[in-house]
Amino acid sequence: MKIHFLGTAAAEGWPGMFCRCEFCQKAKELGGKNIRTRSSAIIDNILKIDFPPDTYHHVLRDKIDLAAIEYLFITHTHSDHFLPTDIQNRSPVMAHGVDRPLHIYGHDLVIQGCKASINYRQELYELHHIQPFRCVQVDERTKVTPLIADHDKHETCLLYFIEKDDKAILYGHDTGWFPFETWEWLEGKSFDLAILDCTGGPLPGRRNHMNNEAVIEMNDIFRQKAMLREGGIVIATHFSHNGGMLHEELERFFSRYDILVAYDGMVYHV
Ligand SMILES: [Zn+2]
Ligand SMILES: [Zn+2]
Ligand SMILES: [Zn+2]
């Protein structure tokens, strides 16, 4: 599987849209991998996770054919992950040459949000209301199981276990330390890649979002329990200026644990 990271920041982006803090100033000066937009990724050019407000920028920056995306999985409806009004741009007369439906998968609020914002046409959009721990067969080769995150007590926020052929990816940010039910489901499972929430950086706390320490601890658990397959890796993502660690610092810090640090535009193959 090919994983293309489109954005790797928390809600405000890094540099933050309105922020004057020293870490946003530094990111602006240094540029490159320190410029982080709102989080999303594409798998094998056809399956996308989340639709953030920076999607149009991602299309321009990485020359993405967004019409080629057939499956869109939404983790939760926070504004940095879900902008349904922009999905509407897939409809005529805003888009030409789009001939297949976009399958959108999400929980109640996602489905409601799509219905309210998209001029819904069956031939162009298919909405799939998914439930935690119920596996979805996406195509003949791909299945996705939504798992529960600890992120927002007012919403069922999801992370995803994505399996294709003999490969598997655990895709999780905006998760906090996983709730018991998710650990229970993961028991005995193995995967080639885990993408984890590192919003807090060196700051304390692992409820709602994770931090450096929680990412390292999860990496240890995955390795000790052989959940991470041979050659498997953890990639940290969803960074915030509040953590204050710029890309090179993050790389230096995490290299000791064999953990990779995501950056915008990064492509990884499993
Ligand atoms: Zn987020
Ligand atoms: Zn800042
Ligand atoms: Zn969120």
Side-chain angles (χ1 to χ4, degrees), residues 24-243:
C24 287
Q25 302 292 355
K26 265 194 197 166
K28 274 184 195 165
E29 277 163 32
L30 292 168
K33 292 175 183 173
N34 292 295
I35 304 297
R36 298 183 184 277
T37 60
R38 273 64 70 86
S39 295
S40 176
I42 296 177
I43 295 176
D44 288 342
N45 306 318
I46 58 164
L47 189 154
K48 189 177 190 312
I49 299 153
D50 287 342
F51 206 94
D54 295 320
T55 302
Y56 183 50
H57 167 73
H58 298 154
V59 167
L60 300 177
R61 187 194 64 203
D62 294 351
K63 300 185 172 63
I64 291 162
D65 177 10
L66 210 53
I69 304 290
E70 293 184 42
Y71 312 104
L72 174 64
F73 282 81
I74 303 293
T75 55
H76 64 304
T77 63
H78 289 173
S79 63
D80 55 324
H81 297 270
F82 184 54
L83 184 66
T85 46
D86 254 5
I87 303 176
Q88 165 71 18
N89 286 320
R90 198 179 185 276
S91 307
V93 294
M94 280 84 82
H96 302 278
V98 178
D99 48 5
R100 287 169 175 228
L102 173 67
H103 294 266
I104 304 174
Y105 300 82
H107 59 61
D108 320 38
L109 287 180
V110 169
I111 301 300
Q112 269 182 30
C114 287
K115 282 194 157 171
S117 305
I118 299 171
N119 183 10
Y120 182 71
R121 285 173 53 167
Q122 187 72 38
E123 66 273 25
L124 280 181
Y125 305 98
E126 260 190 58
L127 304 180
H128 303 266
H129 184 183
I130 55 176
Q131 303 287 345
F133 308 113
R134 286 206 201 150
C135 180
V136 177
Q137 190 77 41
V138 175
D139 59 23
E140 312 86 73
R141 295 169 61 192
T142 315
K143 51 186 185 169
V144 177
T145 307
L147 310 177
I148 288 192
D150 171 28
H151 181 52
D152 178 343
K153 64 180 179 198
H154 300 297
E155 185 173 342
T156 313
C157 302
L158 302 172
L159 58 148
Y160 292 113
F161 191 79
I162 303 163
E163 296 165 90
K164 186 171 184 181
D165 301 330
D166 59 343
K167 299 288 182 184
I169 298 173
L170 178 63
Y171 186 97
H173 53 64
D174 296 49
T175 61
W177 188 259
F178 299 165
F180 172 75
E181 301 94 310
T182 293
W183 281 115
E184 199 176 44
W185 188 91
L186 285 170
E187 193 67 44
K189 303 279 192 312
S190 68
F191 38 85
D192 302 281
L193 169 64
I195 296 163
L196 299 181
D197 177 349
C198 198
T199 313
L203 302 174
R206 55 176 68 183
R207 294 296 308 271
N208 308 322
H209 279 298
M210 301 222 297
N211 61 4
N212 291 353
E213 198 184 53
V215 169
I216 292 164
E217 200 175 315
M218 232 181 239
N219 179 60
D220 286 344
I221 293 172
F222 292 163
R223 288 180 188 277
Q224 278 159 18
K225 292 190 157 191
M227 295 164 84
L228 211 51
R229 294 173 185 165
E230 200 168 333
I233 196 95
V234 165
I235 301 182
T237 191
H238 200 280
F239 298 100
S240 157
H241 57 146
N242 293 315

